[in-house]
Amino acid sequence: MTNYGIIGVRGVIYDGQKLLVVTNKWVPGYYVLPGGGMNPGESITGALKREIVEELGVTPSVGQLIAVHQIKNDGNLSAPGFIFHITNPDDFKNIDLTQTTHGEDEIDEFEFTDDYTKLLPQEIIPLLENIKNRSYLTSTKLIISQGI
């Protein structure tokens, strides 16, 4: 479930042609990019690093900001979510949720998949394809998608 007042941070992590996606225990079957919400006083990249370490047990190398994402539900827009490219995908190949502080409590499933175009909001797919193909955008995009 989206909390419309919390600023979000997410990471795009590719292993070759496969993208890392997760489902949270509170919305099983709803796939998202790894990440979460900012705490008061945190920097955007600091929040992303904290969330990924807490949930997946890996310290991400945060690369380029690639999008600002908002979810529209019943005419209301969420607080913005910042999507960054994570540049150390090899470190995510052997995730063990039992070695995390929050992973077992929050993550239902995680996987590298090449089927992400059917799992994630369609509005972000072109952006993800640009990252996968290393054809980086010259400017950050604002993306608005429909809520669940």
Side-chain angles (χ1 to χ4, degrees):
M1 201 71 93
T2 299
N3 184 324
Y4 283 81
I6 295 177
I7 296 172
V9 288
R10 299 282 172 190
V12 174
I13 306 168
Y14 273 105
D15 178 20
Q17 300 296 304
K18 295 185 176 192
L19 179 69
L20 182 62
V21 295
V22 300
T23 60
N24 295 313
K25 290 195 174 183
W26 49 90
V27 190
Y30 181 69
Y31 288 84
V32 295
L33 297 170
M38 286 180 64
N39 290 329
E42 277 187 304
S43 70
I44 296 168
T45 56
L48 180 58
K49 288 178 183 179
R50 177 188 51 76
E51 282 286 348
I52 290 178
V53 168
E54 287 176 353
E55 294 177 359
L56 301 176
V58 179
T59 301
S61 293
V62 179
Q64 178 180 341
L65 173 65
I66 55 176
V68 178
H69 181 224
Q70 288 185 285
I71 298 172
K72 187 174 187 177
N73 199 0
D74 295 328
N76 297 312
L77 286 174
S78 67
F82 296 89
I83 303 173
F84 288 87
H85 183 208
I86 302 301
T87 60
N88 59 324
D90 289 343
D91 295 344
F92 291 85
K93 290 184 179 179
N94 297 304
I95 295 169
D96 181 358
L97 296 182
T98 66
Q99 300 301 307
T100 67
T101 59
H102 293 65
E104 287 187 293
D105 295 330
E106 296 182 10
I107 302 298
D108 189 39
E109 296 179 62
F110 63 92
E111 66 177 305
F112 278 101
T113 180
D114 55 5
D115 200 25
Y116 61 87
T117 59
K118 296 177 185 172
L119 302 174
L120 295 171
Q122 292 304 299
E123 296 83 358
I124 68 169
I125 300 304
L127 176 79
L128 296 173
E129 292 294 311
N130 281 332
I131 295 299
K132 179 175 74 174
N133 297 322
R134 304 278 191 245
S135 54
Y136 293 94
L137 304 175
T138 57
S139 63
T140 302
K141 300 291 182 187
L142 172 62
I143 301 167
I144 298 176
S145 63
Q146 291 298 315
I148 57 172

